[in-house]
Amino acid sequence: MPLRLDIKRKLTARSDRVKSVDLHPSEPWMLASLYNGSVCAWNYETQTLVKTFEVCELPVRAARFVARKNWVATGADDMQVRVFNYNTLERVAAFEAHSDYIRCLAVHPAQPYLLSSSDDMLIKLWDWERKWALAQVFEGHTHYVMQVVVNPRDNNQFASASLDRTVKVWQLGSPAPNFTLEGHEKGVNCLDYYSGGDKPYLISGADDRLAKVWDYQNKTCVQTLEGHAQNVSCVGFHPELPLVLTGSEDGTVRLWHSSTYRLESTLNYGMERVWCLASLRGSNNLALGYDEGSIIVKLGREEPAVSMDANGKIIWARHSEVQQANLKAMGEAEVRDGERLPLAVKDMGSCEIYPQSIQHNPNGRFVVVCGDGEYIIYTAMALRNKSFGSAQEFAWAHDSSEYAIRESNSLVKIFKNFKEKKAFKPDFGAEGIYGGFLLGVRSVNGLAFYDWDNTELLRRIEIQPKHIFWSDSGELLCIGTEESFFILKYMSEKVAAAQETHEGVTEDGIEDAFEVLGEIQEIVKTGLWVGDCFIYTSSVNRLNYYVGGEIVTIAHLDRTMYLLGYIPKDNRLYLGDKELNIVSYSLMVSVLEYQTAVMRRDFSMADKVLPTVPKEQRTRVAHFLEKQGFKQQALAVSSDPEHRFELALQLGELKIAYQLAVEAEVEQKWKQLAELAISKCQFGLAQECLHHAQDYGGLLLLATASGNATMVNKLAEGAEKDGKNNVAFLSYFLQGKLDRCLELLISTGRLPEAAFLARTYLPHEVSRVVKLWRESLAKVNQKAADSLADPTEYDNLFPGLREAFVAEQYLKESGNCVRPAREYPLVTPNEERNVLEEAKGFKPSGVVKPQAPEGGAPPSPVSSDLPASPGPVLIDLPENTKDEKAFLELEDDLDNMDLEDIDTTDINLDEEFSDD
């Protein structure tokens, strides 16, 4: 069976002919040197060109990253080596290195050395710490030296390929080659060392259209790879996958298995001749250079081959080596969320196949390793072989002793206790299989579920899944697709009934076998169930869990992580990355159990679990309850005062809301509670809340709407004390306390308004107010102050003033009586009354003479008591009215008056001034 390879193109960069490519070890950059004389760096994650170096006008045949120095080293047909800083783009060095075209550059992995090879048949070693001094020259080839590569196992050794048909192996410090490998019939273009470490191999490619694998210790050819139709221009061992890579001028890249040398795949992207390739340790990316540009493809599975059982034993594969770690071995070491766990790793041995996936069976006793179209079942403790066979896919059943294999696209076999139990051919084909409570089989037309025991079709769904995850109970499952995931409930009782009665059974199985609980527009990378909670990692690197239609984010991950498992007694969730770094996050099992009980409407169980939920987690639980519609329970569970207050308001729980408002003493809470109290007709509570909130407008509305005179009086006093002058004025005015209104205007400097209020309602106070107004206005404009006229001095300018004095006293005496409410219909509305007419003929019971202003005539007799208001008139008090402005407005009115219109027939000057 072929090696399962997922091949995905990540970047296509069109350009001039590419002569070399390189990958940066830490940045997502690909470096390409071009035949037109420039070097480009592409970001293959963002698909953008990030750096460009204009090197020369001749072809640049070699370019390499020197990551530890932030450099790019280039070699061109002008025989120059140039070095650039890729951050600043400045040129660091330039020197003539050879007497002919420079074909290749190689950076020493540890020493400050750069190797260059050229058409002048020489290899040179340069030391950049000695100002690029020439450290050594290697002579021996008799034709162009096309490539040099440093041995990853021994950095003092390197190999070279030449058109003289040989491969030579050299030692730093020695002028002559250690040995020469001969076998190609034409010039050798390329070579590479095997980086795995367990085989002393190197590979070479030549113009004889062959690639040869050599054992450089035995100096023998191990394998010859045939199949290319033109010269082999580039070769390589993939550092992560069991692959040999060969590229040719025939436009194809061939992928061969590094153990069996079987051709696994051929890549042809139609960009003409292939010139170069590059791969990188720790990455599955492969960079390819063509006549028409460059391409990056990703090979192999993204997920690491790793599995964890329920007891915390983790097994993973590094290449063919299987290793184990035990979470229990950490003891009582402190574990922090998201930090790498210090696990002790134990080697278990080497696997006979290249592991592409590892998976424990449900009880953790066995582990299956899949790869190369084969599977091997080992004991989890000692890696002893229990069973093996050929298969394209493998899936464990919910029963720990049962499993299925997909042998081909049409045949599925089921095994129990390592013995074949049944083989069947699904009606719709078998493109993939999924284990769990039911056997899932994917076809080109959809997904079919079969019974493990009799392979009877239970339900077929038109969906193309990527993953299927079953809960331990077998009641719930998640089906993940390319765009979203679905949560389904398996209706086992309905299935059993349908199997007995054959009702509701169609060609697609039992119609009521599943109930869809929800669809979520997120892509699931990895997932698992804990109770009725589905925990998963998403495509945007978030660790979430889904329960009851709600998604809760546990953590935002800084890189792609894969779920391994959950250990309830530790209350921790474990994940690993592709480098097999294991991290952990806290997730309380009591929270999950409580939410599971709520989802099942088992509130008695939920009440039993609740005491085990830590206080800091209860608010999360309360939010969950609220979203499920259980607000009363959420109020009882929540520990967040803000959340509890909101719930109390929603539920109309006045006592609880009041207590929380008292504890918080936040003005906004009192306002919210006041609104609720009013809606519940709790006016006493509403009054208290509005008072705490200092909402004087609300208090005024409440007091007037309820007809509470005492409350209006207290409001007036409190508002005046707190400087809420508009509310205080209106409250006094509504009570008829015009003297307090006047004093409020005076105390706040509103003297023009005070004067007009006195002229309208309190004529006997006019002189005092005008005097105060004059004194205030004199500070601004003396002339304007002198122009103010006192009505008691110049009553000829204010007709009707005498009548006003009488009306004031009339209202005072007639308004003192309190009439019962039953007489309300008999009372004439204020807007229909004419007080001046009513006061005609009125004889005041007692009069006093107000004090006359200095130098002025005595005022008319009025009562010393204040009159009641002729009717509530709302006065808008502007905040910044100036005395001078008010005066000028009055002066304009006087200027516009026609003095001839003034009736002077009733004025007796002798009588008016008899006292003088």
Side-chain angles (χ1 to χ4, degrees):
M1 293 295 174
L3 183 70
R4 283 202 311 177
L5 285 175
D6 296 330
I7 301 173
K8 183 179 179 181
R9 195 185 327 188
K10 296 186 67 175
L11 172 72
T12 300
R14 295 281 178 175
S15 68
D16 199 31
R17 183 185 303 166
V18 178
K19 297 304 295 181
S20 76
V21 288
D22 193 21
L23 294 171
H24 196 283
S26 58
E27 299 288 344
W29 294 345
M30 177 194 70
L31 190 70
S33 67
L34 308 183
Y35 200 78
N36 64 10
S38 63
V39 173
C40 300
W42 292 83
N43 185 317
Y44 49 80
E45 288 185 354
T46 62
Q47 317 280 308
T48 55
L49 179 66
V50 291
K51 314 280 182 184
T52 302
F53 306 92
E54 299 295 337
V55 179
C56 62
E57 296 181 356
L58 296 174
V60 182
R61 299 182 186 272
R64 291 287 179 270
F65 282 116
V66 188
R68 59 188 184 272
K69 302 293 287 184
N70 298 328
W71 288 347
V72 168
T74 66
D77 283 4
D78 63 356
M79 292 90 79
Q80 293 263 334
V81 168
R82 294 177 178 84
V83 182
F84 301 86
N85 184 305
Y86 57 66
N87 288 329
T88 64
L89 302 183
E90 65 176 336
R91 192 171 69 184
V92 176
F95 54 92
E96 185 171 320
H98 290 271
S99 58
D100 208 336
Y101 297 168
I102 298 174
R103 292 282 178 176
C104 180
L105 297 176
V107 181
H108 195 282
Q111 300 295 326
Y113 296 153
L114 182 72
L115 282 163
S116 62
S117 68
S118 168
D119 286 0
D120 63 7
M121 300 179 288
L122 299 178
I123 302 167
K124 295 186 178 182
L125 180 68
W126 308 93
D127 186 339
W128 67 66
E129 286 192 352
R130 293 168 52 206
K131 298 182 179 180
W132 297 96
L134 178 60
Q136 192 174 350
V137 178
F138 302 89
E139 299 184 61
H141 280 296
T142 58
H143 209 310
Y144 302 163
V145 184
M146 302 298 288
Q147 190 171 4
V148 288
V149 180
V150 178
N151 188 341
R153 297 179 66 188
D154 180 2
N155 295 161
N156 287 322
Q157 191 181 90
F158 69 92
S160 60
S162 171
L163 293 188
D164 63 10
R165 306 180 185 180
T166 67
V167 173
K168 294 183 181 290
V169 177
W170 310 77
Q171 197 79 16
L172 294 182
S174 174
N178 292 358
F179 55 88
T180 300
L181 300 175
E182 297 180 282
H184 284 288
E185 296 179 1
K186 292 187 178 180
V188 183
N189 295 312
C190 47
L191 78 165
D192 191 28
Y193 276 100
Y194 177 67
S195 59
D198 56 338
K199 299 174 183 176
Y201 286 177
L202 61 80
I203 183 173
S204 60
D207 288 344
D208 58 8
R209 305 178 183 179
L210 302 177
K212 290 183 177 290
V213 180
W214 306 85
D215 184 324
Y216 57 79
Q217 286 185 350
N218 297 330
K219 305 175 184 58
T220 58
C221 178
V222 175
Q223 186 75 26
T224 299
L225 304 178
E226 303 180 30
H228 281 294
Q230 291 294 334
N231 302 340
V232 177
S233 52
C234 50
V235 293
F237 287 100
H238 197 283
E240 298 297 322
L241 299 170
L243 291 175
V244 175
L245 314 166
T246 60
S248 167
E249 292 181 32
D250 63 11
T252 67
V253 175
R254 294 190 170 223
L255 311 180
W256 315 77
H257 198 291
S258 61
S259 297
T260 63
Y261 302 107
R262 178 181 62 227
L263 179 63
E264 297 289 344
S265 184
T266 300
L267 308 180
N268 189 345
Y269 293 108
M271 296 180 72
E272 300 299 332
R273 294 172 293 183
V274 183
W275 291 109
C276 48
L277 60 82
S279 55
L280 188 68
R281 176 168 288 279
S283 169
N284 285 5
N285 292 327
L286 173 65
L288 305 170
Y290 293 84
D291 271 334
E292 297 181 359
S294 47
I295 284 177
I296 286 188
V297 294
K298 190 164 191 175
L299 304 174
R301 288 163 51 89
E302 292 185 4
E303 296 182 29
V306 59
S307 179
M308 185 179 94
D309 68 8
N311 296 315
K313 292 178 181 176
I314 305 173
I315 293 179
W316 64 72
R318 291 186 182 274
H319 301 290
S320 294
E321 302 300 318
V322 180
Q323 298 176 323
Q324 185 186 62
N326 194 340
L327 295 174
K328 291 181 180 178
M330 291 193 302
E332 299 298 321
E334 182 181 1
V335 178
R336 293 185 178 179
D337 285 359
E339 290 191 2
R340 181 182 176 184
L341 302 181
L343 297 176
V345 178
K346 173 186 174 184
D347 289 325
M348 298 186 71
S350 181
C351 186
E352 291 89 339
I353 60 177
Y354 183 82
Q356 288 185 277
S357 68
I358 291 179
Q359 187 181 4
H360 281 92
N361 75 330
N363 65 17
R365 290 184 58 197
F366 301 105
V367 64
V368 64
V369 178
C370 301
D372 297 351
E374 299 179 41
Y375 72 92
I376 303 175
I377 300 176
Y378 296 100
T379 57
M381 292 295 292
L383 212 66
R384 287 198 302 271
N385 190 325
K386 290 290 293 183
S387 183
F388 63 92
S390 297
Q392 294 191 2
E393 277 187 285
F394 182 101
W396 290 109
H398 185 71
D399 181 347
S400 297
S401 63
E402 204 164 5
Y403 60 89
I405 64 169
R406 183 173 69 90
E407 201 166 78
S408 67
N409 287 351
S410 61
L411 182 62
V412 175
K413 292 182 177 180
I414 297 176
F415 292 77
K416 190 174 181 68
N417 296 324
F418 310 109
K419 294 180 181 180
E420 184 177 333
K421 184 175 83 170
K422 193 174 184 66
F424 74 105
K425 293 185 177 182
D427 295 337
F428 309 99
E431 300 290 326
I433 60 173
Y434 306 91
F437 196 74
L438 299 177
L439 173 60
V441 180
R442 187 186 76 243
S443 67
V444 292
N445 298 319
L447 170 65
F449 286 103
Y450 295 89
D451 190 293
W452 281 96
D453 293 330
N454 53 29
T455 66
E456 178 184 342
L457 175 64
L458 296 181
R459 188 71 174 118
R460 182 174 171 273
I461 306 171
E462 290 186 359
I463 194 173
Q464 287 294 322
K466 282 185 66 179
H467 312 284
I468 295 179
F469 307 95
W470 283 89
S471 66
D472 291 339
S473 65
E475 290 183 10
L476 298 170
L477 74 154
C478 168
I479 301 178
T481 70
E482 293 283 357
E483 298 177 348
S484 61
F485 69 89
F486 298 84
I487 302 296
L488 282 72
K489 183 176 183 180
Y490 178 57
M491 314 298 287
S492 56
E493 294 180 358
K494 292 185 178 181
V495 169
Q499 287 175 331
E500 287 183 9
T501 62
H502 299 287
E503 292 182 4
V505 179
T506 67
E507 61 180 8
D508 288 333
I510 300 168
E511 291 184 344
D512 296 333
F514 293 98
E515 178 187 345
V516 179
L517 300 181
E519 179 186 2
I520 295 85
Q521 296 297 322
E522 278 197 330
I523 299 173
V524 172
K525 287 286 190 181
T526 54
L528 57 88
W529 288 88
V530 177
D532 288 1
C533 300
F534 179 64
I535 305 169
Y536 66 97
T537 57
S538 72
S539 58
V540 293
N541 292 337
R542 285 182 185 165
L543 177 60
N544 298 335
Y545 71 84
Y546 171 93
V547 58
E550 180 190 3
I551 293 177
V552 179
T553 298
I554 302 169
H556 294 266
L557 308 173
D558 58 359
R559 61 191 185 282
T560 301
M561 303 291 289
Y562 305 92
L563 273 170
L564 299 179
Y566 180 76
I567 299 182
K569 67 181 184 64
D570 294 341
N571 290 312
R572 299 202 73 83
L573 196 62
Y574 295 91
L575 302 91
D577 62 13
K578 65 180 181 179
E579 302 299 326
L580 300 173
N581 299 309
I582 310 301
V583 300
S584 173
Y585 287 92
S586 173
L587 184 61
M588 301 300 296
V589 67
S590 55
V591 173
L592 300 181
E593 288 176 349
Y594 185 88
Q595 291 175 328
T596 298
V598 170
M599 283 306 302
R600 294 175 175 172
R601 301 296 192 269
D602 187 354
F603 290 104
S604 60
M605 176 59 73
D607 292 339
K608 292 178 182 177
V609 174
L610 183 59
T612 65
V613 177
K615 286 187 177 180
E616 63 271 14
Q617 297 288 329
R618 293 200 176 188
T619 300
R620 173 186 288 184
V621 170
H623 280 291
F624 169 76
L625 287 166
E626 181 185 5
K627 289 189 176 181
Q628 298 304 310
F630 304 122
K631 293 183 179 180
Q632 198 69 50
Q633 290 88 339
L635 178 60
V637 169
S638 180
S639 59
D640 180 10
E642 294 287 336
H643 188 219
R644 295 192 71 223
F645 184 77
E646 291 176 9
L647 289 170
L649 290 181
Q650 294 175 33
L651 293 168
E653 296 284 354
L654 288 172
K655 290 183 179 180
I656 297 175
Y658 177 80
Q659 185 59 40
L660 291 168
V662 169
E663 294 172 1
E665 277 297 336
V666 177
E667 182 177 307
Q668 185 60 32
K669 281 187 170 57
W670 288 115
K671 287 184 178 180
Q672 291 176 279
L673 183 55
E675 291 178 8
L676 178 62
I678 291 172
S679 69
K680 297 283 186 179
C681 297
Q682 298 290 326
F683 298 120
L685 176 60
Q687 179 180 348
E688 183 181 350
C689 295
L690 290 169
H691 176 73
H692 282 293
Q694 296 184 327
D695 185 355
Y696 292 98
L699 283 168
L700 180 60
L701 177 63
L702 180 63
T704 53
S706 60
N708 190 332
T710 304
M711 183 177 172
V712 174
N713 185 52
K714 288 183 179 179
L715 172 62
E717 294 174 355
E720 181 180 4
K721 181 180 178 182
D722 290 341
K724 305 296 181 181
N725 298 321
N726 281 350
V727 174
F729 180 91
L730 188 55
S731 300
Y732 285 135
F733 194 81
L734 290 172
Q735 297 177 80
K737 295 183 177 181
L738 296 172
D739 58 334
R740 301 298 296 269
C741 292
L742 184 69
E743 294 305 323
L744 183 62
L745 290 172
I746 293 172
S747 64
T748 56
R750 305 290 185 85
L751 297 173
E753 291 97 322
F756 288 116
L757 179 72
R759 173 65 183 87
T760 306
Y761 298 115
L762 304 170
H764 78 284
E765 290 281 5
V766 169
S767 293
R768 181 169 72 92
V769 177
V770 169
K771 181 181 178 182
L772 295 171
W773 189 5
R774 281 175 177 168
E775 292 173 356
S776 174
L777 190 56
K779 298 176 183 178
V780 180
N781 189 323
Q782 183 64 51
K783 183 178 178 182
D786 294 341
S787 301
L788 285 177
D790 185 343
T792 56
E793 296 177 2
Y794 304 100
D795 60 353
N796 60 312
L797 298 178
F798 299 91
L801 183 63
R802 290 180 179 276
E803 291 83 350
F805 286 132
V806 175
E808 178 183 4
Q809 185 63 20
Y810 165 75
L811 286 173
K812 169 62 179 171
E813 294 188 14
S814 64
N816 282 338
C817 62
V818 179
R819 304 175 71 174
R822 65 176 176 272
E823 295 185 11
Y824 173 76
L826 306 176
V827 177
T828 305
N830 283 344
E831 64 269 17
E832 297 179 10
R833 295 176 64 185
N834 188 332
V835 180
L836 294 177
E837 289 295 328
E838 293 178 22
K840 283 183 178 180
F842 172 72
K843 300 296 183 181
S845 59
V847 297
V848 295
K849 291 185 178 182
Q851 185 177 355
E854 294 181 8
S860 299
V862 295
S863 170
S864 60
D865 295 324
L866 296 176
S869 169
V873 179
L874 304 183
I875 300 176
D876 182 23
L877 301 181
E879 295 293 334
N880 297 308
T881 304
K882 296 293 185 182
D883 292 347
E884 184 178 4
K885 179 182 176 183
F887 166 75
L888 292 175
E889 290 175 355
L890 178 62
E891 189 176 44
D892 289 341
D893 292 339
L894 294 174
D895 289 341
N896 293 329
M897 290 179 64
D898 188 354
L899 297 180
E900 293 180 358
D901 295 335
I902 299 176
D903 186 0
T904 60
T905 56
D906 293 332
I907 300 177
N908 187 332
L909 295 181
D910 292 336
E911 183 180 347
E912 293 289 334
F913 299 103
S914 59
D915 291 342
D916 292 341

